[in-house]
Amino acid sequence: MADVKRALVSVSDKTGIVEFAQDLSKLGVEILSTGGTAKALKEAGVSVIEVSQYTESPEVMDGRVKTLHPRVHGAILMRDTDADRKELASLGGKAIDLVVVNLYPFQNTVQRGAAHAEIVENIDIGGPSMLRSAAKNYARVVVVVDPADYSSISAEIKQKGQLSDEKREALAAKAFAHTAAYDGHIASYFASRQSDSAQGFPERLELSFQKGYDLRYGENPHQKAAFYAESSAPAGSLARAKSVGAGGKELSFNNFVDVEAALDAVREFERPAAVVVKHTNPCGVAEAETLEQAYRASREADALSAFGGIVALNRRVDAKTAAMLTETFLECVVAPDFDEAALELLHKKANLRLLATGSWLGSDHEALQYKRIGGGLVVQERDRSGIAEALQGKCATKRQATDSEKQALDFAWRVCKHVKSNAIVLAKAEPILRTVGVGAGQMSRVISVELAADKAGHEAKGSVLASDAFFPFPDGVEKAAAAGISAIVQPGGSKKDNDVIAAADAAGIAMLMTGVRHFRH
């Protein structure tokens, strides 16, 4: 490959571009540029030839057409052969050896809620064309899309006058990934405006993820793993959370899954709340007047399982709550923020991971959820319902639920949708709203009832019960009655509903039916 003698520089993100261009200029590289990039470089004292001067063709249509010209694409796509050199010369062009381009901020324009016309104007045409041309011809041309690569490229050109074959191919791969992701954003945006299918899902689903970092391992030590962030992830999501821990170790694959489960559950509550998760299931949840009270109650709901767990909180963490968090070995704490006094205490636990979401997403925020299956994905809307469903449920029994029971039923119902099916949650409203027993992931619902009652122990008496799906037989209600449970909320809809209601009436249990199921697999 010949030395780098001529570069075309046209960037939307101008981070580091002046310094890079200055380095190239000092190395004797001639720089072609366009529009705002050319202006920025000239103002910094970098010698620049405008592309319109090089092509002898002005920018037209308010800059929509600048680089779509044979002298530009011929200069990039030219192979290192006599025939191609002669043909380019006949066009009046000169070989371009380095292409530095990043694209109009389409995704940022969408995310800030711009009008459709402005979004369309931010669809880059010339940029992707130049990148694809340069990446295709990586054997001769260096293509650069990422400002993070500027310094290493400058250093290698300074040392050798050119880049290695391996480096050029790696940069080409990055460029193709960049344009593919860009096109994916555009396709996804337009798909979101269409309603071709009965359910509103697009015919083609284009997803774009950026690698964050490698993980220590996957679910097990023999499995490799990495973290990828969705480029369109909203503020307040786990992908946008910032690590504010002492830096002892990174989150693991399992940590990520558990943190997401805990974060999604704690979003259900408006008052100060805490959720302790173990193996993706809430083992303790509480809502109280203060965050300290909520965390204490959530931990004590199942202190044995809380050891080594994940904690999610829905308020800024203060020093009192932080001091309590240090009393138990925990893997990670996630919250909107942490005050300085809290961080000072928590940083003494070097291996405790701390995540601050900053913004906060409500329980009803919209999102699509994906689950990988062999050769494809199943996609669904996020389960956004749950608030007030229990309170609006129909009472199916002779006895009505008391106000205190209704409060506890509403709380248990919100927790239940975050427990793996078959899910049973026992809760109490006094002295504060809290879970007292959870039965999760059983093949038989009656076994989940037994597990939840066993976890609750003496606290089962006088508690209420939430079930994520209907009771197929009265045996689950009979087990609940034996444990002293006073009220139940469940979807209803079983062929045996009459038998189930009769069992509740026989035990003096109040039962609400919501008509809504909340399975979680």
Side-chain angles (χ1 to χ4, degrees):
M1 172 188 167
D3 290 351
V4 174
K5 297 178 180 178
R6 187 170 294 102
L8 192 157
V9 181
S10 180
V11 294
S12 175
D13 177 2
K14 294 179 175 55
T15 303
I17 195 59
V18 168
E19 295 80 4
F20 187 40
Q22 288 172 335
D23 287 346
L24 293 175
S25 188
K26 288 175 184 177
L27 292 169
V29 177
E30 183 179 85
I31 296 176
L32 309 178
S33 192
T34 63
T37 305
K39 183 175 182 290
L41 296 182
K42 286 178 180 178
E43 289 175 352
V46 178
S47 178
V48 172
I49 298 172
E50 295 264 7
V51 166
S52 57
Q53 178 185 345
Y54 165 72
T55 61
E56 298 180 312
S57 178
E59 295 184 7
V60 297
M61 301 175 187
D62 296 324
R64 275 193 164 200
V65 181
K66 291 179 282 195
T67 57
L68 296 172
H69 194 282
R71 286 188 187 176
V72 173
H73 287 276
I76 297 172
L77 284 165
M78 186 204 84
R79 292 158 294 193
D80 198 12
T81 65
D82 290 339
D84 278 11
R85 279 191 291 271
K86 287 178 181 178
E87 190 163 0
L88 180 61
S90 73
L91 296 171
K94 297 178 181 179
I96 293 173
D97 313 302
L98 174 65
V99 172
V100 186
V101 171
N102 54 56
L103 308 176
Y104 293 170
F106 177 85
Q107 187 66 9
N108 289 342
T109 308
V110 173
Q111 287 179 337
R112 64 179 170 81
H116 178 64
E118 183 182 353
I119 290 170
V120 170
E121 281 305 309
N122 275 276
I123 297 175
D124 204 329
I125 302 300
S129 300
M130 288 187 289
L131 287 177
R132 289 176 61 82
S133 294
K136 175 178 179 176
N137 205 27
Y138 74 87
R140 188 187 65 78
V141 180
V142 177
V143 57
V144 190
V145 296
D146 186 353
D149 292 321
Y150 292 167
S151 59
S152 64
I153 290 169
S154 293
E156 194 164 338
I157 293 175
K158 182 177 182 179
Q159 182 181 4
K160 302 176 182 177
Q162 60 186 35
L163 267 67
S164 68
D165 293 346
E166 293 78 14
K167 179 76 168 180
R168 281 183 282 112
E169 184 172 345
L171 290 169
K174 183 178 282 191
F176 280 125
H178 188 67
T179 58
Y182 193 79
D183 285 340
H185 294 321
I186 296 168
S188 294
Y189 168 73
F190 277 95
S192 71
R193 290 173 57 84
Q194 310 302 310
S195 56
D196 294 336
S197 68
Q199 294 178 310
F201 291 104
E203 288 300 311
R204 292 187 60 84
L205 181 65
E206 303 292 343
L207 303 176
S208 176
F209 295 84
Q210 179 70 37
K211 184 178 179 181
Y213 46 84
D214 290 321
L215 303 179
R216 294 197 307 278
Y217 50 78
E219 285 185 288
N220 300 290
H222 63 277
Q223 295 171 272
K224 294 180 180 179
F227 167 66
Y228 286 80
E230 191 174 11
S231 52
S232 60
S237 63
L238 181 54
R240 297 286 180 243
K242 292 183 179 180
S243 174
V244 294
K249 57 182 179 179
E250 296 285 358
L251 288 166
S252 70
F253 181 97
N254 291 339
N255 289 155
F256 269 111
V257 176
D258 284 342
V259 170
E260 176 65 14
L263 188 57
D264 204 33
V266 83
R267 290 186 180 119
E268 293 288 337
F269 307 103
E270 292 77 35
R271 295 197 305 146
V275 175
V276 183
V277 159
K278 199 71 171 288
H279 300 283
T280 73
N281 280 302
C283 56
V285 183
E287 186 181 29
E289 292 300 319
T290 69
L291 198 64
E292 177 190 6
Q293 291 171 338
Y295 172 63
R296 182 191 299 275
S298 67
R299 182 186 67 186
E300 296 309 312
D302 188 349
L304 182 65
S305 297
F307 182 85
I310 303 286
V311 174
L313 306 161
N314 67 351
R315 293 288 192 280
R316 180 185 175 109
V317 179
D318 57 18
K320 287 184 177 180
T321 307
M324 198 174 301
L325 287 164
T326 64
E327 295 173 358
T328 304
F329 167 64
L330 300 171
E331 290 280 358
C332 179
V333 178
V334 60
D337 200 2
F338 298 78
D339 66 29
E340 290 301 319
L343 287 176
E344 186 176 347
L345 288 168
L346 294 169
H347 282 174
K348 293 177 182 178
K349 298 280 190 177
N351 289 326
L352 173 61
R353 277 65 60 90
L354 306 176
L355 292 175
T357 64
S359 300
W360 193 250
L361 293 172
S363 63
D364 62 345
H365 74 275
E366 292 185 16
L368 291 180
Q369 295 176 321
Y370 314 100
K371 185 164 287 189
R372 190 79 164 89
I373 60 170
L377 292 171
V378 286
V379 183
Q380 68 173 357
E381 297 174 327
R382 180 177 172 273
D383 186 356
R384 300 167 55 211
S385 70
I387 294 177
E389 283 176 352
L391 299 178
Q392 295 168 1
K394 178 183 176 182
C395 183
T397 51
K398 295 174 183 177
R399 187 173 83 78
Q400 301 286 315
T402 66
D403 288 344
S404 178
E405 286 172 336
K406 286 180 180 178
Q407 189 181 20
L409 288 167
D410 175 59
F411 174 81
W413 184 249
R414 297 192 199 196
V415 175
C416 195
K417 63 181 280 194
H418 298 278
V419 177
K420 293 294 181 73
S421 301
N422 288 311
I424 296 292
V425 172
L426 305 187
K428 284 186 172 179
E430 300 294 340
I432 62 174
L433 281 165
R434 70 202 191 282
T435 57
V436 296
V438 176
Q442 299 304 304
M443 288 67 77
S444 169
R445 188 160 300 277
V446 70
I447 299 300
S448 286
V449 174
E450 290 177 348
L451 285 173
D454 184 61
K455 278 285 186 182
H458 70 276
E459 287 270 37
K461 187 174 182 179
S463 69
V464 304
L465 179 154
S467 173
D468 64 343
F470 63 63
F471 287 96
F473 305 102
D475 54 358
V477 174
E478 290 164 355
K479 290 286 185 183
I485 289 160
S486 66
I488 291 173
V489 59
Q490 57 126 331
S494 168
K495 292 180 179 179
K496 299 282 187 177
D497 269 354
N498 289 338
D499 293 343
V500 170
I501 294 167
D505 280 334
I509 291 175
M511 181 180 288
L512 302 181
M513 291 186 173
T514 65
V516 183
R517 188 184 76 183
H518 288 292
F519 268 156
R520 179 168 291 245
H521 284 100

